[in-house]
Amino acid sequence: MTTTPTRRLPESLDAGVALVGPALRETVIRYLCPEMGRVAQYHHGWTDADGRPTNAWGGKLLRPALALLSARAAGGAPASGVPAAVAIELVHNFSLLHDDIMDGDTARRGRATAWTLFGVPPAILAGDALLTAAVSVLLDSDSAGARSAASSLLTATQRMITGQAVDVDFERRTDVTLAECVAMAGNKTGALLACACSLGADLVGADPELVRRLAAFGEHVGLAFQLIDDLLGIWGDPDRTGKQVGADLRVRKKSLPVVAALNAPGSAELSTLYFRAEPLTDQEVRRVADLIELAGGRDWARDEAARQITAAEESLAAAGIPDAIRGEFLDIAAFITDRRF
Amino acid sequence: MTTTPTRRLPESLDAGVALVGPALRETVIRYLCPEMGRVAQYHHGWTDADGRPTNAWGGKLLRPALALLSARAAGGAPASGVPAAVAIELVHNFSLLHDDIMDGDTARRGRATAWTLFGVPPAILAGDALLTAAVSVLLDSDSAGARSAASSLLTATQRMITGQAVDVDFERRTDVTLAECVAMAGNKTGALLACACSLGADLVGADPELVRRLAAFGEHVGLAFQLIDDLLGIWGDPDRTGKQVGADLRVRKKSLPVVAALNAPGSAELSTLYFRAEPLTDQEVRRVADLIELAGGRDWARDEAARQITAAEESLAAAGIPDAIRGEFLDIAAFITDRRF
């Protein structure tokens, strides 16, 4: 989730960084051996490739902030959700380490990716070590819901892996349905955000119904984010997204607006262009974007994002949590999804 | 652990295969999505690359047999250790999937490795999915020690990752001490075997002292296995090991007998040859083997293996378990370590 900060960061994020940042680092040092710790600390932005301290930006810690909020939503003390916040961020970073290898990406957050500096084997192992540490952090906490939270985190991780696997499999297919694509996005993006929004509550032993409603909120926010991110991948302003115009179209990504359009009536020209082996010219990229819009893919994705945001708000309202905490959840959700498209 | 069956398989292994085989397959199908299940089922030897059933050999299930025994050692019913047996085998296979990628190995158990058939991304993800499923299987069981067993499995996994990471790091170093090398082997090989020998007991809620003694037994057996495996990598009969003569020396592996010799007095010639950039000729490989033997590396490793086997027997005797179950543990340990060297 690489939102460009188009607005001031919600204050909840500051609290998250202050509480979770040190705990996250202590966890990495405690559970990982020095060799793996070196890779993980570089990846998190705390050190350079030689292990010297840096001030590199390690991300906004959106998921940890949500996990802390969810513990407070269940009546927990401000710090009670810290193990959940640490665990969710470790799983997120495990997936980034492995994704960068799988995608062959050489840069992340303006720095060289870990595998390009340390090699593929240490980067694979460091990812494995972070996933392992994430579950240990929950089980080693003395919270009432430790076992339940660990199970939830594992289920979310398995869903995230499913989403990734299906996304990889989409690359060779030309018959992806919209339902398959929505399910993939739910697994790839929704699952971990649903877990982030509920894991702290789970950990402090909240009523399962509250946990379920907070998870539903996160799941809808995650889907809304993915729809908006997909729209930006086609029509986003390169100055704001940091990506080339139509970047996703050039690599023939089967994103949500594309799949919606391909499954709409009259998509023959789009289908022919999109599944052609040869690269698309700039003019053809513009034509593909127009064809997606003509087939209704852009409108569908915008409307669906709005529906998901409404559904998220309804799930949160039904959770019956204090207004102040609900407000903080909504602030972060607005930050995640509020980008022009 | 790829022991060549030089003697009849202990009967405990048959029971293990019969009980654990179906449960293992059900777990893979239940927890993994179809895309990942396809990779994992191929890797386990149940299907070919197209998903058709095969009779490929999926391994002897040594670790699951030990896990089942450990549950019985703690007074559990024969099937009470099944979740532990499944979990330990899933972690073992997670590590094999990732190891094959990291080592660039193209064959395992006489078949193409998963990454060569399905690609690196699906093989990385399938390993991640197996690790995730392994912990879920324990937490989703209704056994008294589920949380403790899950913690133990994660600790063993983190140690195994540490061993791998340190082993990778050894490749660039010329100053590895014997203590470092023994610690690496303990992490890489001992940790998972220690966990296999105690996880079933842990799962059924055994006295922590029994769990600790069974783990110590497995740790010693694991170290003995590694010492013997390292001896075979230098002086093993290629017809029995399936490897080239002196295979480990050609790749300059920092195995236990080598590191023992390099740290002994008068190892200057060995050091010069071993750390030379150019490949070793057949004659030089023989010379290196002789130099290791002259420096005492072979004797040390043989003696240390014997000491580890004695220590294993003592740990098991101190566990105070029924003679019949102790006998089965010793049968499997003998099978793992009883190879000519």
Side-chain angles (χ1 to χ4, degrees):
Chain A
M1 207 163 282
T2 51
T3 49
T4 314
T6 55
R7 41 183 276 170
R8 199 173 57 79
L9 286 160
E11 282 173 19
S12 301
L13 292 182
D14 298 336
V17 170
L19 264 174
V20 177
L24 194 58
R25 192 154 182 184
E26 278 162 29
T27 303
V28 166
I29 290 166
R30 175 176 165 201
Y31 285 94
L32 272 62
C33 65
E35 289 76 9
M36 293 292 90
R38 195 161 145 256
V39 181
Q41 292 195 57
Y42 170 82
H43 171 77
H44 278 91
W46 305 325
T47 56
D48 67 14
D50 298 316
R52 286 181 300 243
T54 56
N55 291 316
W57 181 63
K60 290 175 295 295
L61 303 182
L62 288 169
R63 290 168 194 77
L66 291 165
L68 288 181
L69 263 180
S70 80
R72 285 173 52 213
S80 61
V82 168
V86 168
I88 201 87
E89 189 67 8
L90 292 178
V91 167
H92 176 53
N93 280 292
F94 135 73
S95 77
L96 296 182
L97 274 166
H98 283 189
D99 283 357
D100 285 341
I101 298 167
M102 296 190 286
D103 298 340
D105 286 338
T106 55
R108 171 174 297 282
R109 297 171 188 154
R111 303 164 82 217
T113 47
W115 70 268
T116 64
L117 285 180
F118 300 98
V120 168
I124 290 179
L125 285 169
D128 297 342
L130 290 182
L131 172 57
T132 303
V135 190
S136 286
V137 164
L138 292 176
L139 291 178
D140 292 350
S141 76
D142 55 3
S143 305
R147 181 173 166 182
S148 171
S151 273
S152 300
L153 184 67
L154 291 163
T155 302
T157 303
Q158 196 69 260
R159 281 188 62 199
M160 185 176 63
I161 293 167
T162 295
Q164 288 282 6
V166 171
D167 201 17
V168 168
D169 196 52
F170 277 4
E171 287 173 19
R172 61 165 190 83
R173 290 181 50 191
T174 57
D175 61 347
V176 176
T177 67
L178 188 53
E180 286 178 312
C181 197
V182 170
M184 184 277 289
N187 285 328
K188 194 172 160 179
T189 311
L192 202 66
L193 213 56
C195 190
C197 291
S198 58
L199 195 65
D202 209 348
L203 184 67
V204 301
D207 174 11
E209 187 61 20
L210 172 60
V211 174
R212 202 187 59 73
R213 289 199 157 122
L214 293 174
F217 166 73
E219 183 95 22
H220 290 303
V221 172
L223 267 175
F225 166 80
Q226 193 57 61
L227 286 153
I228 293 163
D229 199 54
D230 284 356
L231 286 163
L232 289 168
I234 303 173
W235 294 283
D237 175 355
D239 289 344
R240 299 173 71 101
T241 64
K243 289 179 179 180
Q244 201 183 0
V245 174
D248 286 356
L249 301 181
R250 292 175 200 273
V251 297
R252 320 296 167 89
K253 191 171 160 189
K254 296 194 182 72
S255 67
L256 288 155
V258 173
V259 173
L262 284 168
N263 283 283
S267 63
E269 186 187 346
L270 172 63
S271 182
T272 304
L273 266 173
Y274 215 63
F275 297 131
R276 195 183 70 183
E278 297 75 37
L280 297 171
T281 64
D282 287 354
Q283 197 185 339
E284 285 169 335
V285 167
R286 283 191 295 273
R287 178 67 185 153
V288 164
D290 288 347
L291 289 169
I292 294 166
E293 189 159 4
L294 280 167
R298 188 176 195 174
D299 281 345
W300 173 81
R302 280 173 165 162
D303 293 349
E304 185 60 28
R307 279 191 293 272
Q308 292 294 336
I309 289 168
T310 302
E313 288 165 348
E314 286 170 359
S315 298
L316 195 63
I321 59 177
D323 280 352
I325 294 173
R326 193 166 61 87
E328 291 191 54
F329 267 123
L330 291 174
D331 272 356
I332 299 179
F335 178 75
I336 291 174
T337 54
D338 186 20
R339 299 192 295 176
R340 288 168 212 285
F341 53 93
Chain B
M1 205 162 283
T2 52
T3 50
T4 315
T6 56
R7 42 183 272 167
R8 199 172 57 80
L9 287 161
E11 281 174 18
S12 302
L13 293 182
D14 298 336
V17 170
L19 263 173
V20 176
L24 194 58
R25 192 154 183 184
E26 277 162 28
T27 303
V28 166
I29 291 166
R30 175 177 164 199
Y31 285 95
L32 272 62
C33 65
E35 289 76 10
M36 292 292 90
R38 196 161 143 253
V39 181
Q41 292 195 59
Y42 170 83
H43 172 77
H44 278 90
W46 305 325
T47 54
D48 67 14
D50 297 317
R52 286 180 298 243
T54 55
N55 292 316
W57 181 64
K60 288 175 296 294
L61 303 182
L62 289 168
R63 293 168 193 75
L66 291 165
L68 289 181
L69 263 180
S70 82
R72 285 173 52 210
S80 62
V82 168
V86 167
I88 201 87
E89 188 67 8
L90 292 178
V91 167
H92 176 53
N93 280 294
F94 134 73
S95 77
L96 296 182
L97 274 166
H98 283 189
D99 284 357
D100 285 341
I101 298 166
M102 296 190 284
D103 298 339
D105 285 337
T106 54
R108 172 173 296 281
R109 297 171 187 155
R111 304 163 81 217
T113 48
W115 69 269
T116 64
L117 284 180
F118 300 98
V120 168
I124 290 178
L125 286 169
D128 297 342
L130 290 182
L131 172 58
T132 304
V135 191
S136 286
V137 164
L138 292 175
L139 291 179
D140 292 350
S141 76
D142 55 3
S143 305
R147 181 173 166 182
S148 172
S151 274
S152 301
L153 184 68
L154 290 163
T155 301
T157 303
Q158 196 67 261
R159 281 189 62 201
M160 184 175 63
I161 293 166
T162 295
Q164 287 281 8
V166 171
D167 200 19
V168 168
D169 197 51
F170 277 2
E171 287 173 20
R172 61 164 191 87
R173 290 180 52 191
T174 57
D175 62 348
V176 176
T177 67
L178 188 53
E180 285 178 314
C181 197
V182 170
M184 183 278 288
N187 284 328
K188 194 173 160 178
T189 311
L192 202 66
L193 212 57
C195 190
C197 291
S198 58
L199 195 65
D202 210 348
L203 184 67
V204 300
D207 175 14
E209 187 61 21
L210 172 60
V211 173
R212 201 188 59 72
R213 290 198 156 122
L214 292 175
F217 166 74
E219 184 94 22
H220 291 302
V221 171
L223 266 175
F225 166 80
Q226 192 57 61
L227 286 154
I228 293 164
D229 199 55
D230 284 356
L231 286 164
L232 289 169
I234 303 174
W235 293 284
D237 175 356
D239 288 344
R240 298 173 71 99
T241 64
K243 289 180 180 180
Q244 203 183 0
V245 175
D248 286 357
L249 301 180
R250 292 174 201 275
V251 297
R252 318 299 166 89
K253 192 172 159 188
K254 294 194 184 71
S255 67
L256 288 156
V258 173
V259 174
L262 284 168
N263 284 282
S267 64
E269 185 189 344
L270 172 62
S271 181
T272 305
L273 267 173
Y274 215 65
F275 297 133
R276 196 184 71 185
E278 297 74 37
L280 298 171
T281 64
D282 287 354
Q283 199 185 338
E284 285 169 334
V285 166
R286 283 190 296 273
R287 179 68 185 152
V288 164
D290 289 346
L291 289 169
I292 294 166
E293 189 159 3
L294 279 168
R298 189 176 194 176
D299 281 345
W300 173 82
R302 279 172 166 164
D303 294 349
E304 185 59 28
R307 279 191 294 273
Q308 292 295 336
I309 288 169
T310 302
E313 287 165 348
E314 287 169 359
S315 298
L316 195 62
I321 59 176
D323 281 351
I325 293 173
R326 193 167 60 87
E328 290 191 53
F329 267 123
L330 291 174
D331 272 355
I332 298 178
F335 178 77
I336 290 174
T337 55
D338 185 19
R339 299 193 294 177
R340 289 167 212 283
F341 53 93

